[in-house]
Amino acid sequence: MVAPRNNSPIRKATMFLTLLAVASILGSASAFAPPSSATTNHARRTPPSTSLSMAPRFDKSTNKWYTDVPEERAGSSYGPIGTLYRAGPKPFFSRVIDPDTYDQAVLKYMAQDGTCDRKEAQGNMDAFLENPQDWAYQKVQEQNGKYKKDYANANMGKKQVFLSTVWGLGVIYFIGNLAYNGIQGGGLSDSFHRTMELLGVDA
C-alpha cells in the first residue's frame, strides 16, 4: 500500500535544502547525499503493474538509492558537458568531483517526484546546484500554478549553445595565453619571488 504523499511546496523545497547540508562540494550548494533515514514514502512501492514501481527505490542495506530501469541509470541521459551548458561551471565541477553524490541526488529526486524521467531530474539538480534559492522559489511558484520551467532543456537552443561555446573557448584561450606569457616572460616567477621577499621568506 502506497503511503500518502505530501506535495507541500515548502516541504519539497526543505527536502532539497536538507540534502544540501549533508555533504560539501564546492560550497554548501553542491551536496546531495540521501538522508540517513531508511524509511521514506518512496521506499514503499506499489506492485510492478504501476509506473511508480519503476521509480528509484532506497536500499536500507547500502543506504543508497538504486534503480533497475536502464533508462534511469547514470549515463542514460546527458553528461557533464550537458550540465555545463545548462547550468554553468558550478554544477559541472560538483558533478565531476563527486559523481556518486550527484547520481544519488538525481535518483532521489526521481523517486520523490514520481513522474519525471532521468533528464528532467538532472536538469533540476543542475539548477539546484547552481542556485538553490532560485530553484526552490521556482518550485513554489509551480506548485501555485505558475509557469513550469523546463530545466531539462535550459540553455540548449542552437544559438545559445553556439554563443556559450564561443564564450567558453575565448575564456580558455585568454587564461591559457595569460599563463603562457607570464611563464615565458618570467612574470609569474618574479611575482612569486617578490611575494616571498615581502613575507620575509627566502625563495
Short mmCIF file of all heavy atoms in Angstrom, two decimals, residues 122-169:
data_model
loop_
_atom_site.label_atom_id
_atom_site.label_comp_id
_atom_site.label_asym_id
_atom_site.label_seq_id
_atom_site.Cartn_x
_atom_site.Cartn_y
_atom_site.Cartn_z
N GLN A 122 17.93 15.41 -13.79
CA GLN A 122 19.27 16.01 -13.87
C GLN A 122 19.19 17.52 -14.08
O GLN A 122 19.96 18.28 -13.48
CB GLN A 122 20.06 15.37 -15.02
CG GLN A 122 20.55 13.96 -14.72
CD GLN A 122 21.53 13.44 -15.77
OE1 GLN A 122 21.86 12.26 -15.78
NE2 GLN A 122 22.01 14.28 -16.65
N GLY A 123 18.26 17.95 -14.93
CA GLY A 123 18.10 19.37 -15.16
C GLY A 123 17.76 20.12 -13.88
O GLY A 123 18.29 21.21 -13.62
N ASN A 124 16.90 19.53 -13.07
CA ASN A 124 16.53 20.15 -11.81
C ASN A 124 17.69 20.15 -10.82
O ASN A 124 17.90 21.12 -10.09
CB ASN A 124 15.32 19.43 -11.20
CG ASN A 124 14.02 19.92 -11.76
OD1 ASN A 124 13.44 20.89 -11.28
ND2 ASN A 124 13.54 19.27 -12.82
N MET A 125 18.45 19.07 -10.79
CA MET A 125 19.61 19.02 -9.90
C MET A 125 20.66 20.04 -10.31
O MET A 125 21.27 20.70 -9.45
CB MET A 125 20.23 17.62 -9.91
CG MET A 125 19.48 16.59 -9.09
SD MET A 125 19.42 17.01 -7.33
CE MET A 125 17.74 17.64 -7.20
N ASP A 126 20.87 20.19 -11.61
CA ASP A 126 21.85 21.17 -12.08
C ASP A 126 21.43 22.58 -11.68
O ASP A 126 22.25 23.39 -11.24
CB ASP A 126 21.99 21.08 -13.61
CG ASP A 126 22.63 19.77 -14.04
OD1 ASP A 126 23.30 19.13 -13.21
OD2 ASP A 126 22.46 19.40 -15.22
N ALA A 127 20.13 22.88 -11.84
CA ALA A 127 19.62 24.20 -11.47
C ALA A 127 19.73 24.40 -9.97
O ALA A 127 20.06 25.50 -9.51
CB ALA A 127 18.16 24.34 -11.92
N PHE A 128 19.48 23.36 -9.20
CA PHE A 128 19.58 23.46 -7.74
C PHE A 128 21.02 23.71 -7.30
O PHE A 128 21.29 24.52 -6.41
CB PHE A 128 19.06 22.18 -7.11
CG PHE A 128 19.14 22.18 -5.60
CD1 PHE A 128 18.21 22.87 -4.85
CD2 PHE A 128 20.14 21.49 -4.95
CE1 PHE A 128 18.29 22.88 -3.47
CE2 PHE A 128 20.22 21.48 -3.56
CZ PHE A 128 19.28 22.18 -2.82
N LEU A 129 21.95 23.00 -7.92
CA LEU A 129 23.35 23.19 -7.59
C LEU A 129 23.83 24.60 -7.93
O LEU A 129 24.64 25.18 -7.21
CB LEU A 129 24.21 22.16 -8.35
CG LEU A 129 24.14 20.72 -7.85
CD1 LEU A 129 24.74 19.77 -8.87
CD2 LEU A 129 24.84 20.58 -6.52
N GLU A 130 23.31 25.14 -9.01
CA GLU A 130 23.71 26.48 -9.43
C GLU A 130 23.17 27.54 -8.48
O GLU A 130 23.89 28.46 -8.09
CB GLU A 130 23.20 26.75 -10.86
CG GLU A 130 23.39 28.19 -11.34
CD GLU A 130 24.84 28.63 -11.32
OE1 GLU A 130 25.74 27.77 -11.39
OE2 GLU A 130 25.06 29.85 -11.25
N ASN A 131 21.91 27.43 -8.10
CA ASN A 131 21.31 28.42 -7.20
C ASN A 131 20.12 27.78 -6.49
O ASN A 131 19.00 27.81 -7.00
CB ASN A 131 20.87 29.65 -7.99
CG ASN A 131 20.52 30.82 -7.09
OD1 ASN A 131 19.91 30.66 -6.03
ND2 ASN A 131 20.89 32.02 -7.51
N PRO A 132 20.33 27.20 -5.31
CA PRO A 132 19.26 26.50 -4.60
C PRO A 132 18.09 27.40 -4.22
O PRO A 132 16.94 26.96 -4.22
CB PRO A 132 19.96 25.93 -3.36
CG PRO A 132 21.19 26.73 -3.20
CD PRO A 132 21.62 27.12 -4.58
N GLN A 133 18.36 28.67 -3.89
CA GLN A 133 17.29 29.57 -3.50
C GLN A 133 16.35 29.85 -4.68
O GLN A 133 15.12 29.78 -4.55
CB GLN A 133 17.85 30.89 -2.96
CG GLN A 133 18.55 30.75 -1.61
CD GLN A 133 19.95 30.19 -1.72
OE1 GLN A 133 20.56 30.23 -2.79
NE2 GLN A 133 20.48 29.68 -0.62
N ASP A 134 16.93 30.15 -5.84
CA ASP A 134 16.11 30.42 -7.02
C ASP A 134 15.34 29.19 -7.44
O ASP A 134 14.17 29.28 -7.85
CB ASP A 134 17.00 30.90 -8.18
CG ASP A 134 17.43 32.34 -8.01
OD1 ASP A 134 17.01 32.98 -7.02
OD2 ASP A 134 18.21 32.83 -8.87
N TRP A 135 15.98 28.03 -7.35
CA TRP A 135 15.31 26.79 -7.73
C TRP A 135 14.12 26.51 -6.81
O TRP A 135 13.03 26.17 -7.29
CB TRP A 135 16.30 25.63 -7.68
CG TRP A 135 15.67 24.31 -8.02
CD1 TRP A 135 15.53 23.76 -9.26
CD2 TRP A 135 15.06 23.40 -7.10
NE1 TRP A 135 14.87 22.55 -9.16
CE2 TRP A 135 14.58 22.31 -7.86
CE3 TRP A 135 14.87 23.39 -5.72
CZ2 TRP A 135 13.92 21.22 -7.28
CZ3 TRP A 135 14.22 22.32 -5.14
CH2 TRP A 135 13.75 21.25 -5.92
N ALA A 136 14.33 26.66 -5.51
CA ALA A 136 13.25 26.41 -4.55
C ALA A 136 12.09 27.39 -4.77
O ALA A 136 10.91 27.01 -4.72
CB ALA A 136 13.77 26.53 -3.12
N TYR A 137 12.42 28.65 -5.04
CA TYR A 137 11.38 29.65 -5.30
C TYR A 137 10.57 29.28 -6.55
O TYR A 137 9.35 29.39 -6.56
CB TYR A 137 12.02 31.03 -5.49
CG TYR A 137 11.02 32.10 -5.86
CD1 TYR A 137 10.22 32.69 -4.88
CD2 TYR A 137 10.89 32.52 -7.19
CE1 TYR A 137 9.30 33.67 -5.22
CE2 TYR A 137 9.97 33.50 -7.53
CZ TYR A 137 9.18 34.07 -6.55
OH TYR A 137 8.27 35.04 -6.89
N GLN A 138 11.27 28.84 -7.59
CA GLN A 138 10.59 28.44 -8.82
C GLN A 138 9.64 27.28 -8.57
O GLN A 138 8.53 27.24 -9.11
CB GLN A 138 11.63 28.06 -9.88
CG GLN A 138 11.06 27.48 -11.17
CD GLN A 138 10.20 28.46 -11.94
OE1 GLN A 138 10.38 29.67 -11.83
NE2 GLN A 138 9.25 27.94 -12.71
N LYS A 139 10.06 26.32 -7.75
CA LYS A 139 9.22 25.17 -7.46
C LYS A 139 7.97 25.58 -6.68
O LYS A 139 6.89 25.03 -6.89
CB LYS A 139 10.01 24.11 -6.67
CG LYS A 139 11.04 23.38 -7.53
CD LYS A 139 10.36 22.73 -8.71
CE LYS A 139 11.36 22.16 -9.71
NZ LYS A 139 10.69 21.56 -10.89
N VAL A 140 8.12 26.53 -5.78
CA VAL A 140 6.96 27.02 -5.03
C VAL A 140 5.97 27.69 -6.00
O VAL A 140 4.76 27.49 -5.91
CB VAL A 140 7.39 28.02 -3.94
CG1 VAL A 140 6.17 28.70 -3.32
CG2 VAL A 140 8.19 27.31 -2.86
N GLN A 141 6.51 28.46 -6.93
CA GLN A 141 5.66 29.11 -7.93
C GLN A 141 4.93 28.08 -8.79
O GLN A 141 3.75 28.25 -9.11
CB GLN A 141 6.51 30.03 -8.81
CG GLN A 141 7.14 31.21 -8.08
CD GLN A 141 6.10 32.09 -7.41
OE1 GLN A 141 5.20 32.60 -8.05
NE2 GLN A 141 6.23 32.25 -6.10
N GLU A 142 5.62 27.03 -9.16
CA GLU A 142 5.00 25.98 -9.98
C GLU A 142 3.87 25.30 -9.22
O GLU A 142 2.83 24.97 -9.78
CB GLU A 142 6.05 24.97 -10.42
CG GLU A 142 7.06 25.52 -11.43
CD GLU A 142 8.15 24.53 -11.77
OE1 GLU A 142 8.02 23.34 -11.39
OE2 GLU A 142 9.13 24.92 -12.44
N GLN A 143 4.09 25.07 -7.91
CA GLN A 143 3.05 24.46 -7.10
C GLN A 143 1.83 25.35 -6.98
O GLN A 143 0.72 24.88 -6.75
CB GLN A 143 3.61 24.14 -5.70
CG GLN A 143 4.60 23.00 -5.66
CD GLN A 143 3.93 21.67 -5.98
OE1 GLN A 143 2.82 21.41 -5.55
NE2 GLN A 143 4.61 20.82 -6.74
N ASN A 144 2.04 26.63 -7.14
CA ASN A 144 0.94 27.59 -7.07
C ASN A 144 0.30 27.85 -8.43
O ASN A 144 -0.47 28.80 -8.60
CB ASN A 144 1.44 28.91 -6.48
CG ASN A 144 1.80 28.77 -5.01
OD1 ASN A 144 1.25 27.93 -4.31
ND2 ASN A 144 2.74 29.59 -4.54
N GLY A 145 0.67 27.02 -9.41
CA GLY A 145 0.04 27.11 -10.71
C GLY A 145 0.73 28.01 -11.71
O GLY A 145 0.20 28.25 -12.80
N LYS A 146 1.92 28.49 -11.39
CA LYS A 146 2.64 29.36 -12.31
C LYS A 146 3.39 28.52 -13.36
O LYS A 146 3.37 27.30 -13.35
CB LYS A 146 3.63 30.23 -11.52
CG LYS A 146 2.97 31.13 -10.50
CD LYS A 146 2.06 32.15 -11.15
CE LYS A 146 1.35 33.03 -10.14
NZ LYS A 146 2.25 33.83 -9.33
N TYR A 147 4.08 29.23 -14.24
CA TYR A 147 4.81 28.61 -15.35
C TYR A 147 5.83 27.59 -14.86
O TYR A 147 6.60 27.87 -13.93
CB TYR A 147 5.50 29.70 -16.17
CG TYR A 147 6.53 29.20 -17.15
CD1 TYR A 147 6.16 28.58 -18.34
CD2 TYR A 147 7.90 29.35 -16.88
CE1 TYR A 147 7.10 28.13 -19.23
CE2 TYR A 147 8.85 28.89 -17.78
CZ TYR A 147 8.45 28.28 -18.95
OH TYR A 147 9.39 27.83 -19.83
N LYS A 148 5.86 26.41 -15.47
CA LYS A 148 6.83 25.38 -15.13
C LYS A 148 8.06 25.52 -16.02
O LYS A 148 7.96 25.42 -17.24
CB LYS A 148 6.23 23.98 -15.29
CG LYS A 148 7.21 22.87 -14.90
CD LYS A 148 6.57 21.50 -15.03
CE LYS A 148 7.57 20.40 -14.64
NZ LYS A 148 6.97 19.05 -14.76
N LYS A 149 9.19 25.72 -15.41
CA LYS A 149 10.43 25.91 -16.16
C LYS A 149 10.98 24.58 -16.64
O LYS A 149 11.04 23.60 -15.89
CB LYS A 149 11.46 26.63 -15.31
CG LYS A 149 12.69 27.07 -16.07
CD LYS A 149 13.56 28.01 -15.25
CE LYS A 149 14.75 28.50 -16.06
NZ LYS A 149 15.58 29.46 -15.30
N ASP A 150 11.42 24.55 -17.89
CA ASP A 150 11.98 23.34 -18.48
C ASP A 150 13.49 23.29 -18.22
O ASP A 150 14.30 23.66 -19.08
CB ASP A 150 11.70 23.31 -19.98
CG ASP A 150 12.17 22.03 -20.65
OD1 ASP A 150 12.53 21.08 -19.92
OD2 ASP A 150 12.19 21.98 -21.89
N TYR A 151 13.87 22.80 -17.05
CA TYR A 151 15.29 22.72 -16.70
C TYR A 151 16.02 21.68 -17.54
O TYR A 151 17.24 21.79 -17.73
CB TYR A 151 15.44 22.38 -15.22
CG TYR A 151 15.09 23.50 -14.28
CD1 TYR A 151 13.99 23.40 -13.42
CD2 TYR A 151 15.84 24.67 -14.24
CE1 TYR A 151 13.67 24.42 -12.55
CE2 TYR A 151 15.52 25.71 -13.37
CZ TYR A 151 14.44 25.57 -12.53
OH TYR A 151 14.11 26.60 -11.67
N ALA A 152 15.31 20.69 -18.04
CA ALA A 152 15.95 19.62 -18.81
C ALA A 152 16.56 20.15 -20.11
O ALA A 152 17.55 19.60 -20.60
CB ALA A 152 14.95 18.52 -19.12
N ASN A 153 15.98 21.21 -20.65
CA ASN A 153 16.46 21.76 -21.92
C ASN A 153 16.91 23.22 -21.81
O ASN A 153 17.00 23.92 -22.81
CB ASN A 153 15.35 21.64 -22.98
CG ASN A 153 14.96 20.20 -23.25
OD1 ASN A 153 15.77 19.39 -23.67
ND2 ASN A 153 13.70 19.87 -22.99
N ALA A 154 17.19 23.63 -20.58
CA ALA A 154 17.59 25.02 -20.36
C ALA A 154 18.88 25.35 -21.10
O ALA A 154 19.85 24.58 -21.06
CB ALA A 154 17.77 25.27 -18.85
N ASN A 155 18.89 26.49 -21.79
CA ASN A 155 20.08 27.00 -22.49
C ASN A 155 20.60 26.06 -23.58
O ASN A 155 21.78 26.10 -23.91
CB ASN A 155 21.21 27.28 -21.49
CG ASN A 155 20.81 28.27 -20.43
OD1 ASN A 155 20.20 29.29 -20.72
ND2 ASN A 155 21.15 27.97 -19.18
N MET A 156 19.72 25.23 -24.11
CA MET A 156 20.16 24.26 -25.11
C MET A 156 19.68 24.59 -26.53
O MET A 156 19.76 23.75 -27.43
CB MET A 156 19.70 22.84 -24.72
CG MET A 156 20.40 22.30 -23.49
SD MET A 156 22.21 22.34 -23.60
CE MET A 156 22.49 21.15 -24.91
N GLY A 157 19.19 25.80 -26.74
CA GLY A 157 18.87 26.22 -28.09
C GLY A 157 20.14 26.34 -28.91
O GLY A 157 21.22 26.58 -28.37
N LYS A 158 20.06 26.17 -30.21
CA LYS A 158 21.25 26.17 -31.06
C LYS A 158 22.06 27.46 -30.93
O LYS A 158 23.29 27.43 -30.83
CB LYS A 158 20.84 25.96 -32.53
CG LYS A 158 20.32 24.56 -32.82
CD LYS A 158 19.99 24.40 -34.29
CE LYS A 158 19.50 22.98 -34.59
NZ LYS A 158 19.16 22.80 -36.02
N LYS A 159 21.36 28.58 -30.89
CA LYS A 159 22.05 29.86 -30.78
C LYS A 159 22.76 29.99 -29.44
O LYS A 159 23.91 30.42 -29.37
CB LYS A 159 21.06 31.01 -30.96
CG LYS A 159 21.70 32.38 -30.90
CD LYS A 159 20.68 33.48 -31.13
CE LYS A 159 21.34 34.87 -31.04
NZ LYS A 159 20.34 35.95 -31.27
N GLN A 160 22.07 29.57 -28.36
CA GLN A 160 22.65 29.67 -27.03
C GLN A 160 23.85 28.75 -26.88
O GLN A 160 24.87 29.11 -26.28
CB GLN A 160 21.61 29.33 -25.97
CG GLN A 160 22.09 29.48 -24.54
CD GLN A 160 22.50 30.90 -24.22
OE1 GLN A 160 21.79 31.84 -24.54
NE2 GLN A 160 23.66 31.07 -23.60
N VAL A 161 23.76 27.53 -27.44
CA VAL A 161 24.89 26.60 -27.37
C VAL A 161 26.09 27.16 -28.12
O VAL A 161 27.23 27.07 -27.65
CB VAL A 161 24.48 25.23 -27.96
CG1 VAL A 161 25.70 24.33 -28.13
CG2 VAL A 161 23.46 24.55 -27.06
N PHE A 162 25.84 27.75 -29.28
CA PHE A 162 26.91 28.34 -30.07
C PHE A 162 27.59 29.48 -29.31
O PHE A 162 28.83 29.54 -29.22
CB PHE A 162 26.36 28.87 -31.40
CG PHE A 162 27.38 29.62 -32.22
CD1 PHE A 162 28.37 28.94 -32.92
CD2 PHE A 162 27.36 31.01 -32.27
CE1 PHE A 162 29.31 29.64 -33.67
CE2 PHE A 162 28.30 31.71 -33.00
CZ PHE A 162 29.28 31.03 -33.71
N LEU A 163 26.79 30.37 -28.74
CA LEU A 163 27.34 31.51 -28.00
C LEU A 163 28.12 31.04 -26.76
O LEU A 163 29.18 31.58 -26.45
CB LEU A 163 26.22 32.48 -27.59
CG LEU A 163 25.53 33.21 -28.74
CD1 LEU A 163 24.36 34.03 -28.21
CD2 LEU A 163 26.51 34.10 -29.49
N SER A 164 27.58 30.05 -26.08
CA SER A 164 28.26 29.52 -24.90
C SER A 164 29.59 28.88 -25.27
O SER A 164 30.58 29.02 -24.55
CB SER A 164 27.37 28.48 -24.19
OG SER A 164 26.18 29.07 -23.72
N THR A 165 29.61 28.19 -26.40
CA THR A 165 30.84 27.54 -26.86
C THR A 165 31.90 28.58 -27.21
O THR A 165 33.06 28.46 -26.80
CB THR A 165 30.56 26.66 -28.08
OG1 THR A 165 29.58 25.66 -27.74
CG2 THR A 165 31.83 25.97 -28.55
N VAL A 166 31.50 29.61 -27.95
CA VAL A 166 32.43 30.67 -28.32
C VAL A 166 32.97 31.38 -27.08
O VAL A 166 34.17 31.64 -26.96
CB VAL A 166 31.75 31.69 -29.26
CG1 VAL A 166 32.65 32.90 -29.49
CG2 VAL A 166 31.40 31.03 -30.59
N TRP A 167 32.07 31.67 -26.16
CA TRP A 167 32.48 32.35 -24.92
C TRP A 167 33.46 31.48 -24.13
O TRP A 167 34.48 31.96 -23.64
CB TRP A 167 31.25 32.66 -24.08
CG TRP A 167 31.56 33.36 -22.79
CD1 TRP A 167 31.70 34.70 -22.59
CD2 TRP A 167 31.77 32.75 -21.51
NE1 TRP A 167 31.99 34.96 -21.28
CE2 TRP A 167 32.04 33.78 -20.59
CE3 TRP A 167 31.76 31.42 -21.06
CZ2 TRP A 167 32.30 33.55 -19.25
CZ3 TRP A 167 32.02 31.18 -19.71
CH2 TRP A 167 32.28 32.23 -18.82
N GLY A 168 33.14 30.18 -24.00
CA GLY A 168 34.00 29.27 -23.24
C GLY A 168 35.38 29.14 -23.86
O GLY A 168 36.40 29.17 -23.16
N LEU A 169 35.43 29.00 -25.18
CA LEU A 169 36.72 28.90 -25.87
C LEU A 169 37.52 30.19 -25.72
O LEU A 169 38.74 30.15 -25.56
CB LEU A 169 36.50 28.58 -27.35
CG LEU A 169 35.94 27.19 -27.67
CD1 LEU A 169 35.66 27.06 -29.16
CD2 LEU A 169 36.91 26.10 -27.20
#
